[in-house]
Amino acid sequence: MATVKLLGDDELSDEARAVFDDIRATRKSDFVNNFWRALAHDPATLKRTWESIKAVMGPGVLDPKVKEMIYIAVSIAHGCSYCIHSHTASARAKGMTEAEFNELLAIVGMASETNRLVTALGVEVDAEYDIR
């Protein structure tokens, strides 16, 4: 359950409405998800976050599906159920297969386990890996 009221289109400030219009135009969809509706209470944060998402998740060197899969992995690591769900849906829409999703989960699980072991053991970085 949200800690703030999710704003409907009829409740938006002019500034938030402009961001929603851009979300819809950029995504070529009328759907604006609950994350943006929660952020709409603070139009400055809404705009800043949307602009950053467009820059980071937009065209670049990495394939859009790969970007979504990385977002899923980070969301799992941070325990963000909302982002896990939304970015899994987005990755699937960009062509992620069930086999790719299962392999991603295996990698995330393995990295989590070995990260905890290395942390608990206090293992120092090998000189070969120190690229400073």
Side-chain angles (χ1 to χ4, degrees):
M1 175 180 271
T3 60
V4 298
K5 181 182 186 300
L6 302 178
L7 297 181
D9 288 356
D10 59 331
E11 301 172 289
L12 300 174
S13 67
D14 291 341
E15 297 85 1
R17 185 176 319 286
V19 175
F20 275 36
D21 289 346
D22 190 39
I23 291 170
R24 288 181 168 115
T26 301
R27 293 186 168 170
K28 297 176 179 60
S29 172
D30 285 334
F31 178 68
V32 176
N33 68 41
N34 288 341
F35 175 65
W36 303 113
R37 292 186 181 284
L39 281 181
H41 288 278
D42 182 354
T45 299
L46 172 68
K47 182 177 182 174
R48 178 184 51 77
T49 305
W50 172 242
E51 293 298 327
S52 293
I53 286 281
K54 282 196 309 183
V56 171
M57 297 303 285
V61 176
L62 294 176
D63 178 81
K65 179 178 75 174
V66 170
K67 287 184 177 192
E68 293 294 345
M69 292 174 74
I70 293 168
Y71 216 115
I72 295 166
V74 173
S75 298
I76 292 168
H78 287 269
C80 181
S81 178
Y82 187 89
C83 292
I84 293 166
H85 282 82
S86 65
H87 288 278
T88 297
S90 186
R92 286 181 171 141
K94 289 176 173 62
M96 180 181 71
T97 65
E98 284 306 303
E100 289 173 319
F101 183 64
N102 290 334
E103 190 167 334
L104 171 68
L105 294 180
I107 294 166
V108 170
M110 187 79 268
S112 294
E113 179 183 344
T114 58
N115 287 181
R116 286 190 308 273
L117 289 169
V118 164
T119 299
L121 295 170
V123 179
E124 293 187 29
V125 176
D126 298 88
E128 290 83 357
Y129 301 144
D130 193 352
I131 58 172
R132 288 181 273 179

